[in-house]
Amino acid sequence: MKKAVKHLPAIITSVSLLILWQIIAMLINAAYILPSPVQIAVRIWELREPLFTVHTPYTMLVTLLGLLISIIIGVILAMIMDRYETAERALYPVIVTTQTVPITAIAPLFVLWLGYGIWSKVLVSVIITFFPIVVSLHDGLKSSKRESEELFQTMGASKAAIFLKLKLPGALPSFFSAIKMAVPLSIIGAAMGEWLGSQSGLGYFSKRMMTQLDGAGVFAPVVILAVCAMLVVAFISFLERKFVKWRKEI
Amino acid sequence: MILEFNDVCFGYKDRTILKNISFGVREGECTAIIGPSGCGKSTLFRLINRLEKPQSGSILYRGQPIESAGNITAFMPQRDLLLPWRTVLKNVTLAFELKKQRDKKPEAYSLLERVGLKGYENVYPSELSGGMKQRVSFARTLAVGGELMLLDEPFSALDSLTRADMQDWLMAQMSQLDKTVLLVTHDIDEAMLLGNTILLMSGEPVDKLISTDVSYIKTREDIYKASQLREKLLSELETEGHR
Ligand SMILES: Nc1ncnc2c1ncn2[C@@H]1O[C@H](COP(=O)(O)OP(=O)(O)OP(=O)(O)O)[C@@H](O)[C@H]1O
Ligand SMILES: [Mg+2]
């Protein structure tokens, strides 16, 4: 009951926006320009076979692979940069530079390099997501106070113990925020990769509907992408509550 | 002498903090260190903890260079520095974990009971008051268990009643445990009561530690009997602060 009350404002705004959208769409009355929410819902139902058995699993696979690889690369890079100052000075600018590259422009090249298969899409997703993960984790590891590190040293802690018992737990909240930020990015990356060259996936499906001037069909996979992103973020928030029982002090 | 400073100089970057400092600490005694804020009391502890090296001079532990001694200190920092993701109990057992000693929970329980925090074992530090955090930090220091206890303003956040309580308790501990204690404090009464010797940091930068024997002061009444000495120390501290 209490929970329902907490979410009430969000529900009211969402429903009003949907109603507003429905009214505008009905006024325009051209589904290829702006399909109404009802039309989209109907279309999702009609297309449920290909959408849910082929394209959604494919995109989610790309997303999860991208996320997993980003986390592995991110954690390793952040650890190396935390441990060796020279590595930090050498790597940090390069990592920032990767974010200035317009991915959409060079993504077609990835198809040339890695083919039409899944890996060219995973690469797009990784390039977009590893950045927030490295940066947040790096900042999180740096956030432990020098005084605390010194206290650990006086207690005879090894470098490994300082990392495991001080730095890593201290970085956990930033790590979770980073992943929550990375999930939608990784889904966008996957869809973008599919848009640019693929034979399955929600991004590809949306593009195909576009060529058929099927407005509701374009929106259907987009809605599913958004719902997937929300579900994954909710799952990560659940994990966060499980692992981070303390709050940062105010 | 368990600890000796010989002609030690130290500074951060090009700012000198300690200039040709020499003093000794006798085993089993409590040496109280007083001095104005920012004069280098915590820095002295950083040197003893080997977090910094003297620029010249030497620090000896039982006659040997302190660099070659093992883990000899139990340090209580000025700020509690408790880990917010660990419960009170786990913050205390951290000291055992880092020494690779297992199954010391009963000891941690009894240490917490000693500092008056029975029943708070499974609480997170964010739910404690400043004074309670200080007491957890104190329990952790006891768990570290080095021969040389370095206490940096251990009771500064406590109310006068709890503070008096903890002082009495620390006195009892010191006579029992036979530990050597260095105590930084800004409270003259605390220095007189707990210390056998008071070292007053003097000069700007500090170039002298003025030693005063207060071993005959054993109770709170003694402090008032020695009111002349108290006044003298207070005025000295005052002039140092205004330098
Ligand atoms: N890591 C550091 N780098 C540079 N300067 C420092 C550092 N730590 C302390 N100082 C400077 O050294 C001086 C002595 O600091 P210290 O912390 O030893 O003072 P203190 O006597 O403990 O003061 P308080 O009573 O306020 O705790 C201060 O002026 C401070 O600005
Ligand atoms: Mg200090």
mmCIF file of all heavy atoms in Angstrom, chain A residues 146, chain B residues 12 15 17 36-43 78 153, ligand 1:
data_model
loop_
_atom_site.group_PDB
_atom_site.id
_atom_site.type_symbol
_atom_site.label_atom_id
_atom_site.label_comp_id
_atom_site.label_asym_id
_atom_site.label_seq_id
_atom_site.Cartn_x
_atom_site.Cartn_y
_atom_site.Cartn_z
ATOM 1 N N ARG A 146 43.234 9.280 2.122
ATOM 2 C CA ARG A 146 44.639 8.959 2.374
ATOM 3 C C ARG A 146 44.822 8.562 3.849
ATOM 4 O O ARG A 146 45.547 7.640 4.176
ATOM 5 C CB ARG A 146 45.500 10.175 2.051
ATOM 6 C CG ARG A 146 46.982 9.893 2.053
ATOM 7 C CD ARG A 146 47.742 11.193 1.924
ATOM 8 N NE ARG A 146 47.183 12.162 2.840
ATOM 9 C CZ ARG A 146 47.884 12.782 3.793
ATOM 10 N NH1 ARG A 146 49.146 12.566 3.896
ATOM 11 N NH2 ARG A 146 47.324 13.648 4.607
ATOM 12 N N TYR B 12 57.032 19.376 5.493
ATOM 13 C CA TYR B 12 56.302 19.022 4.274
ATOM 14 C C TYR B 12 56.749 19.976 3.180
ATOM 15 O O TYR B 12 56.758 21.189 3.378
ATOM 16 C CB TYR B 12 54.797 19.161 4.486
ATOM 17 C CG TYR B 12 54.229 18.181 5.474
ATOM 18 C CD1 TYR B 12 53.829 18.592 6.734
ATOM 19 C CD2 TYR B 12 54.097 16.830 5.151
ATOM 20 C CE1 TYR B 12 53.296 17.698 7.646
ATOM 21 C CE2 TYR B 12 53.571 15.933 6.053
ATOM 22 C CZ TYR B 12 53.167 16.373 7.296
ATOM 23 O OH TYR B 12 52.647 15.487 8.191
ATOM 24 N N ARG B 15 58.251 23.469 3.835
ATOM 25 C CA ARG B 15 57.857 24.074 5.099
ATOM 26 C C ARG B 15 58.325 23.209 6.262
ATOM 27 O O ARG B 15 57.930 22.051 6.377
ATOM 28 C CB ARG B 15 56.331 24.230 5.141
ATOM 29 C CG ARG B 15 55.933 25.315 6.103
ATOM 30 C CD ARG B 15 54.459 25.615 6.034
ATOM 31 N NE ARG B 15 53.961 25.587 7.394
ATOM 32 C CZ ARG B 15 52.870 24.951 7.763
ATOM 33 N NH1 ARG B 15 52.157 24.311 6.877
ATOM 34 N NH2 ARG B 15 52.491 24.996 9.016
ATOM 35 N N ILE B 17 58.450 21.725 9.861
ATOM 36 C CA ILE B 17 57.490 21.551 10.957
ATOM 37 C C ILE B 17 58.247 21.263 12.252
ATOM 38 O O ILE B 17 57.979 21.869 13.279
ATOM 39 C CB ILE B 17 56.513 20.393 10.663
ATOM 40 C CG1 ILE B 17 55.842 20.558 9.297
ATOM 41 C CG2 ILE B 17 55.474 20.268 11.763
ATOM 42 C CD1 ILE B 17 54.744 21.551 9.210
ATOM 43 N N PRO B 36 49.940 23.977 20.538
ATOM 44 C CA PRO B 36 48.854 24.652 19.805
ATOM 45 C C PRO B 36 48.474 23.904 18.538
ATOM 46 O O PRO B 36 49.250 23.111 18.020
ATOM 47 C CB PRO B 36 49.446 26.022 19.465
ATOM 48 C CG PRO B 36 50.914 25.865 19.611
ATOM 49 C CD PRO B 36 51.153 24.799 20.607
ATOM 50 N N SER B 37 47.280 24.168 18.060
ATOM 51 C CA SER B 37 46.776 23.490 16.861
ATOM 52 C C SER B 37 47.674 23.769 15.663
ATOM 53 O O SER B 37 48.125 24.896 15.454
ATOM 54 C CB SER B 37 45.357 23.994 16.587
ATOM 55 O OG SER B 37 44.891 23.404 15.411
ATOM 56 N N GLY B 38 47.984 22.726 14.933
ATOM 57 C CA GLY B 38 48.769 22.888 13.713
ATOM 58 C C GLY B 38 50.268 22.921 13.936
ATOM 59 O O GLY B 38 51.030 23.173 13.015
ATOM 60 N N CYS B 39 50.723 22.642 15.175
ATOM 61 C CA CYS B 39 52.158 22.743 15.442
ATOM 62 C C CYS B 39 52.908 21.491 15.020
ATOM 63 O O CYS B 39 54.125 21.493 14.901
ATOM 64 C CB CYS B 39 52.411 23.032 16.911
ATOM 65 S SG CYS B 39 52.070 21.645 17.993
ATOM 66 N N GLY B 40 52.201 20.388 14.806
ATOM 67 C CA GLY B 40 52.880 19.183 14.320
ATOM 68 C C GLY B 40 52.745 17.975 15.219
ATOM 69 O O GLY B 40 53.548 17.049 15.150
ATOM 70 N N LYS B 41 51.700 17.937 16.050
ATOM 71 C CA LYS B 41 51.518 16.788 16.947
ATOM 72 C C LYS B 41 51.184 15.527 16.153
ATOM 73 O O LYS B 41 51.787 14.471 16.365
ATOM 74 C CB LYS B 41 50.396 17.092 17.964
ATOM 75 C CG LYS B 41 50.654 18.346 18.786
ATOM 76 C CD LYS B 41 49.599 18.591 19.837
ATOM 77 C CE LYS B 41 48.223 18.933 19.292
ATOM 78 N NZ LYS B 41 48.144 20.212 18.562
ATOM 79 N N SER B 42 50.227 15.656 15.232
ATOM 80 C CA SER B 42 49.881 14.480 14.417
ATOM 81 C C SER B 42 51.055 14.083 13.534
ATOM 82 O O SER B 42 51.268 12.897 13.251
ATOM 83 C CB SER B 42 48.656 14.775 13.551
ATOM 84 O OG SER B 42 47.548 15.089 14.366
ATOM 85 N N THR B 43 51.834 15.066 13.107
ATOM 86 C CA THR B 43 53.003 14.783 12.274
ATOM 87 C C THR B 43 54.015 13.929 13.032
ATOM 88 O O THR B 43 54.613 13.008 12.475
ATOM 89 C CB THR B 43 53.651 16.104 11.822
ATOM 90 O OG1 THR B 43 52.668 16.878 11.136
ATOM 91 C CG2 THR B 43 54.830 15.858 10.916
ATOM 92 N N GLN B 78 43.150 10.909 14.855
ATOM 93 C CA GLN B 78 42.380 12.035 15.399
ATOM 94 C C GLN B 78 40.909 11.927 15.006
ATOM 95 O O GLN B 78 40.025 12.171 15.813
ATOM 96 C CB GLN B 78 42.981 13.333 14.841
ATOM 97 C CG GLN B 78 42.603 14.571 15.587
ATOM 98 C CD GLN B 78 43.535 15.723 15.235
ATOM 99 O OE1 GLN B 78 44.421 15.610 14.389
ATOM 100 N NE2 GLN B 78 43.339 16.842 15.888
ATOM 101 N N GLU B 153 44.353 12.716 20.347
ATOM 102 C CA GLU B 153 43.133 13.311 20.898
ATOM 103 C C GLU B 153 41.998 12.294 20.980
ATOM 104 O O GLU B 153 40.953 12.469 20.344
ATOM 105 C CB GLU B 153 42.707 14.516 20.057
ATOM 106 C CG GLU B 153 43.814 15.538 19.960
ATOM 107 C CD GLU B 153 43.307 16.936 19.693
ATOM 108 O OE1 GLU B 153 42.100 17.179 19.895
ATOM 109 O OE2 GLU B 153 44.111 17.779 19.302
HETATM 110 N N1 LIG C 1 50.174 15.691 4.390
HETATM 111 C C1 LIG C 1 50.521 16.970 4.596
HETATM 112 N N2 LIG C 1 51.074 17.691 3.594
HETATM 113 C C2 LIG C 1 51.431 18.979 3.778
HETATM 114 N N3 LIG C 1 51.275 19.642 4.929
HETATM 115 C C3 LIG C 1 50.729 18.978 5.968
HETATM 116 C C4 LIG C 1 50.320 17.609 5.855
HETATM 117 N N4 LIG C 1 49.802 17.220 7.044
HETATM 118 C C5 LIG C 1 49.895 18.296 7.854
HETATM 119 N N5 LIG C 1 50.453 19.345 7.234
HETATM 120 C C6 LIG C 1 50.764 20.662 7.827
HETATM 121 O O1 LIG C 1 51.653 20.451 8.885
HETATM 122 C C7 LIG C 1 51.297 21.225 10.017
HETATM 123 C C8 LIG C 1 51.197 20.328 11.237
HETATM 124 O O2 LIG C 1 50.085 19.458 11.066
HETATM 125 P P1 LIG C 1 49.621 18.444 12.193
HETATM 126 O O3 LIG C 1 48.455 17.718 11.664
HETATM 127 O O4 LIG C 1 50.789 17.651 12.620
HETATM 128 O O5 LIG C 1 49.164 19.453 13.355
HETATM 129 P P2 LIG C 1 48.550 19.120 14.780
HETATM 130 O O6 LIG C 1 49.507 19.640 15.795
HETATM 131 O O7 LIG C 1 48.173 17.700 14.866
HETATM 132 O O8 LIG C 1 47.256 20.043 14.795
HETATM 133 P P3 LIG C 1 45.811 19.770 15.473
HETATM 134 O O9 LIG C 1 45.966 19.990 16.942
HETATM 135 O O10 LIG C 1 44.940 20.816 14.865
HETATM 136 O O11 LIG C 1 45.414 18.391 15.110
HETATM 137 C C9 LIG C 1 50.001 21.906 9.689
HETATM 138 O O12 LIG C 1 50.268 23.291 9.522
HETATM 139 C C10 LIG C 1 49.527 21.307 8.410
HETATM 140 O O13 LIG C 1 49.066 22.329 7.554
#
